[in-house]
Amino acid sequence: MNRPVFELALIAAAEHIDELGHVNNAVWVRWIQGMATAHWYAVAPPVHVDAYIWVVIRHEIDYLRAVLPGETVTGRTWVGEAPKGARFDRHVEFTGADGKLRVKAKTTWAIIDKASGRPLRVPPEVAAPFLA
């Protein structure tokens, strides 16, 4: 399955590092959410950004290799299968400068109508740019 991929480089700064000397797991969760949000804003037309918001309903994360202070990782994200009702899955992978996978995740997101505050079935025109 070929899906459009969004990429973003991230640097492990001092505030991302925990007492074990590597990027903290909570930071990875923020980075995963940040990748998804950046992809949404980069691809979705303003009318969709104004009308909808996405919320995470599940994270599944595999921590494979540590990222140390000052290291850069490249995050890549794409959506999986077509949406099911209000939900769809997003995949995120972070690789180091050496090309080795550091963290991979699958997150499930639900779309919320901003006007009503309620979930709704993902409109085909909202999903289309992520599935092309």
Side-chain angles (χ1 to χ4, degrees), residues 12-26:
E15 65 268 16
H16 302 135
I17 307 304
D18 63 18
E19 63 275 1
L20 297 173
H22 57 69
V23 172
N24 183 275
N25 290 5

Side-chain angles (χ1 to χ4, degrees), residues 1-23:
M1 170 179 351
N2 264 343
R3 298 282 192 231
V5 175
F6 178 80
E7 288 191 5
L8 192 62
L10 300 163
I11 299 171
E15 65 268 16
H16 302 135
I17 307 304
D18 63 18
E19 63 275 1
L20 297 173
H22 57 69
V23 172

Side-chain angles (χ1 to χ4, degrees), residues 16 19 32 51 54 90-91 103 130:
H16 302 135
E19 63 275 1
I32 290 164
W54 293 91
R90 174 176 289 283
H91 300 271
V103 168
F130 299 93

